[in-house]
Amino acid sequence: MNRRIPDRYRELILYLFFGGLTTVVSIGSFAILIRVFHMDALAANVVSWILAVSFAYVTNRTWVFSSDRRDPSGIMKEILAFFGGRIGTLLMEETILYVGISLLGIDAILVKTAAQAAVVIGNYVISKWLVF
């Protein structure tokens, strides 16, 4: 019996799988930075963003959207579009963190986790229609 993922769902399922792993990288590194290294939450979020977006670029390019760009200038344009687009969701996430942590006094990891839902949706739209 062939249990292959239907092509119409393949991209979405792979995006959700690797998006989940990216979320683990993001929240895990954020938690370590604020709990172990006592870093400011907004600064920790920027560092965790760099780690998570780097991981996401490789997995999205390779497995989710199967980019066929091989020339250095094409890859550089893709990287700049990927990171550039995700700066928008970083700004959205920083705003959510600031409001949730600084203004409302909610636990930083709880706010970060909640913010990831909006980030995953925004990043999919950016990746699907603007980058790959």
Side-chain angles (χ1 to χ4, degrees), residues 44-116:
N45 190 55
V46 172
V47 174
S48 75
W49 178 85
I50 292 167
L51 296 171
V53 173
S54 298
F55 174 81
Y57 173 73
V58 172
T59 59
N60 280 224
R61 174 180 166 61
T62 306
W63 292 291
V64 179
F65 298 106
S66 303
S67 175
D68 59 358
R69 292 183 180 162
R70 299 288 177 250
D71 60 297
S73 67
I75 293 171
M76 185 53 69
K77 287 178 187 174
E78 190 178 79
I79 289 169
L80 291 173
F82 191 84
F83 277 80
R86 293 199 176 204
I87 287 173
T89 56
L90 170 64
L91 296 174
M92 175 185 64
E93 186 176 29
E94 287 281 284
T95 302
I96 293 169
L97 289 174
Y98 176 75
V99 170
I101 298 166
S102 298
L103 301 182
L104 300 176
I106 302 171
D107 177 72
I109 295 174
L110 184 63
V111 175
K112 171 77 171 174
T113 302
Q116 286 297 294

Side-chain angles (χ1 to χ4, degrees), residues 118-132:
V119 168
V120 167
I121 293 166
N123 286 341
Y124 179 78
V125 170
I126 291 165
S127 293
K128 176 71 177 165
W129 285 289
L130 300 177
V131 179
F132 301 106

